[in-house]
Amino acid sequence: MVISRLAEDALQRWLAARRRKPLVLRGARQVGKTTLVRRFAAARGMPLCEVNLERHLYLDRVFESLDTGRILRELEGLGGTRLDGALLFLDEVQATPRALPALRYLYEDRPDLPVVAAGSLLEFTLADHGFSMPVGRIQYLHLGPLTFREFLAAVDPAAGDPVAEASPDAPPTDAAHRRYGRRLREYLLVGGLPEAVLAYCESGSPMEVSAVHRSIASTYEDDFAKYARRTPLARLQRLFRLVPRSVGHPVTYRRLDPEARAAEVGRAIDLLVKARVCHRGAHSHCSGLPLGADAGNHASKLLFMDVGLMNHLCGLDLADIEALDDIRLVNEGGMAEQYVGQQLVSLSGGEQPPELHYWLRHARRGNAEIDYVIPHRDWIVPIEVKAGRSGSLKSLLQFVHEKHPLLAVRFDANPPSVQTVRHAIRTATGTQDVTACILSLPLYAVEALPRLLRAQRSALGPSTLLRADDLDGTEAPR
């Protein structure tokens, strides 16, 4: 079975570019980088000269020479394919770190040769060597786990496209809405790591998926031992197990690992973030763009690399997930927040590094927190992940009162809609009315967000005037 990836479109744009640079595929282990390149070359009938550098460690000395003629002769012999008209693929590039600076000279001496390098834990390798990536001479493509849309296309091709069907003006049918919801619960268990998805497609067995997750977790811990030399192995392995349990909550390094110094934990987390094993959600005051320009000193939020592997490490199985009603599904262990964040990371198409922000305000009358805040051109868009079909919007309304966004987004269990909410909130100067335009989307439709935000910019569309207390999934009379 072949699993299609949306990243193939990005690879095609790279291949067709007039000033094509060597491409470095970045992403955590087991997200499908090698399979993506092989499938891409095969689909276009291109010969593939593939060399797994982990199997030929002596090549590090060859790359160190920076003699591109010698390098290419050696690779051509190992790959068993002539390079004329071929795609050169250097896999497991972290095993021979001097291959990275050599990419610059391949670009300068052989601009006609398409070169892709892929590897995991690259930052672990760079931290142990006295050189940096050849900035300006290479291009990056960030690959993550399968999105829910890719997962659905693999496990249920007849289900349709939730991204195309998610529209407030023409919402999906009740049958389609329920079908997407059922498949979403499966995705929360299986996640988007291709091997786990393939096991689920072939067997339908949660036990098979759990065995894959167990193997992948062990592979990560083994890789830490191979490539992490300056950061204590035990700390990395411990954080790998701890981060999944901290998702959804701002964490300090001291609270995350009380047995270590905060600075040491911070360095280990930085490595895991750069290697895409987890993602950091930075606090932003949301006073302007870019959101990171006014990052506050609040604790960071951490997301794990994949919701399925996260739930496995937290000890949850399909029976646990199926037993959760809509409200508990959203709130249980940060599961929905992890899922939404994972899908938001994918929205750049891999051409930008992952970047997430959240908003937090401390106050005597109660804190206010927005799960995610994203930019959309010149807009700052707050995003709340709400419990099931109802839930308070106090934090969202507080954000609207203070920051005046033109649109807010809520992910919950409802079909798509646009609503105008008016409610009185308490402020430092007394009670004030706040009116917010809210785009409400089901959890399965995160990938439709860019399209729907573009549509809302031109016309906010039909709205329903509701009190925030009355948001129970039903519209009030117009």
Side-chain angles (χ1 to χ4, degrees):
M1 177 182 177
V2 176
I3 297 176
S4 298
R5 300 301 303 268
L6 300 174
E8 289 185 38
D9 294 338
L11 278 178
Q12 180 58 43
R13 289 192 296 272
W14 163 77
L15 184 66
R18 292 180 58 188
R19 296 182 58 82
R20 179 183 58 230
K21 301 175 182 178
L23 182 71
V24 177
L25 270 178
R26 302 182 74 167
R29 183 170 288 281
Q30 299 288 341
V31 297
K33 299 184 291 295
T34 301
T35 302
L36 173 68
V37 176
R38 290 173 179 170
R39 175 179 165 82
F40 177 78
R44 284 147 189 82
M46 295 182 68
L48 181 66
C49 183
E50 177 181 343
V51 180
N52 186 320
L53 300 183
E54 201 168 42
R55 296 183 176 180
H56 307 285
L57 298 179
Y58 79 92
L59 286 174
D60 206 39
R61 297 192 301 274
V62 178
F63 286 117
E64 187 179 17
S65 72
L66 301 181
D67 181 340
T68 55
R70 178 189 175 192
I71 291 170
L72 292 177
R73 286 192 300 272
E74 198 75 32
L75 294 173
E76 194 174 56
L78 290 171
T81 303
R82 292 186 57 83
L83 290 174
D84 293 337
L87 174 65
L88 175 59
F89 178 35
L90 306 177
D91 202 7
E92 303 293 358
V93 69
Q94 79 283 349
T96 57
R98 289 178 177 83
L100 297 170
L103 294 177
R104 167 184 177 176
Y105 298 97
L106 289 176
Y107 168 66
E108 294 176 352
D109 295 349
R110 288 292 306 271
D112 61 303
L113 177 64
V115 180
V116 177
S120 306
L121 306 181
L122 285 178
E123 284 68 23
F124 285 47
T125 298
L126 294 175
D128 290 330
H129 292 80
F131 57 80
S132 60
M133 300 292 274
V135 178
R137 298 293 189 273
I138 60 174
Q139 181 177 337
Y140 293 121
L141 180 62
H142 304 271
L143 187 67
L146 273 71
T147 66
F148 175 66
R149 185 185 191 187
E150 292 172 319
F151 170 83
L152 187 66
V155 303
D156 191 356
D161 185 352
V163 174
E165 293 187 30
S167 172
D169 298 324
T173 64
D174 288 345
H177 180 70
R178 290 193 298 271
R179 186 172 183 172
Y180 295 148
R182 288 195 303 271
R183 291 300 189 184
L184 175 62
R185 287 177 180 264
E186 295 172 9
Y187 181 80
L188 295 176
L189 168 79
V190 178
L193 298 180
E195 187 180 354
V197 175
L198 186 60
Y200 191 67
C201 289
E202 292 177 346
S203 69
S205 168
M207 297 295 292
E208 294 285 340
V209 173
S210 181
V212 170
H213 284 152
R214 188 162 51 251
S215 173
I216 290 174
S218 297
T219 299
Y220 266 92
E221 294 180 337
D222 291 344
D223 278 355
F224 294 158
K226 282 196 295 185
Y227 298 115
R229 295 180 176 87
R230 296 189 181 182
T231 303
L233 173 61
R235 180 171 302 130
L236 287 171
Q237 292 177 337
R238 185 162 59 249
L239 290 171
F240 181 75
R241 300 276 174 172
L242 287 174
V243 168
R245 291 172 167 79
S246 70
V247 169
H249 306 285
V251 294
T252 61
Y253 296 146
R254 179 60 58 84
R255 286 179 56 193
L256 196 60
D257 190 353
E259 298 179 4
R261 292 193 302 172
E264 295 171 345
V265 178
R267 284 192 290 270
I269 289 293
D270 286 344
L271 270 181
L272 294 175
V273 169
K274 289 176 181 177
R276 311 295 187 258
V277 176
C278 59
H279 303 290
R280 179 184 285 111
H283 173 265
S284 174
H285 292 292
C286 300
S287 300
L289 296 174
L291 291 170
D294 65 350
N297 57 1
H298 292 274
S300 297
K301 285 187 173 184
L302 294 174
L303 290 184
F304 201 54
M305 54 176 288
D306 176 67
V307 66
L309 189 58
M310 179 195 87
N311 281 330
H312 169 78
L313 292 173
C314 290
L316 293 176
D317 58 24
L318 185 60
D320 297 319
I321 294 174
E322 291 289 354
L324 298 175
D325 58 27
D326 285 341
I327 293 178
R328 291 175 60 214
L329 180 68
V330 174
N331 289 336
E332 187 79 19
M335 193 186 306
E337 193 168 332
Q338 163 71 34
Y339 161 78
V340 171
Q342 188 173 324
Q343 307 308 300
L344 290 176
V345 164
S346 74
L347 292 183
S348 70
E351 297 177 1
Q352 296 293 330
E355 185 174 320
L356 292 170
H357 294 90
Y358 75 103
W359 178 78
L360 177 65
R361 190 208 63 169
H362 290 295
R364 286 184 301 174
R365 291 182 177 271
N367 297 339
E369 181 179 334
I370 299 297
D371 298 315
Y372 297 105
V373 186
I374 64 170
H376 181 74
R377 288 190 261 175
D378 59 336
W379 280 11
I380 293 177
V381 181
I383 296 175
E384 280 259 69
V385 183
K386 299 306 297 181
R389 297 183 177 276
S390 62
S392 169
L393 292 174
K394 291 179 181 178
S395 291
L396 194 60
L397 292 170
Q398 191 67 49
F399 185 93
V400 171
H401 169 69
E402 295 188 19
K403 305 300 179 181
H404 311 293
L406 296 179
L407 184 70
V409 175
R410 181 178 74 161
F411 286 105
D412 56 20
N414 293 312
S417 66
V418 177
Q419 303 168 336
T420 299
V421 177
R422 181 177 297 162
H423 190 62
I425 65 170
R426 293 183 179 181
T427 69
T429 58
T431 301
Q432 294 191 21
D433 284 335
V434 177
T435 300
C437 182
I438 298 178
L439 172 63
S440 181
L441 295 173
L443 287 168
Y444 58 74
V446 179
E447 293 168 87
L449 188 57
R451 173 178 63 82
L452 295 176
L453 289 178
R454 288 193 297 269
Q456 292 302 309
R457 290 184 73 96
S458 58
L460 291 179
S463 64
T464 303
L465 187 60
L466 302 175
R467 286 183 56 82
D469 290 342
D470 297 331
L471 279 177
D472 59 358
T474 59
E475 289 191 343
R478 295 184 181 276

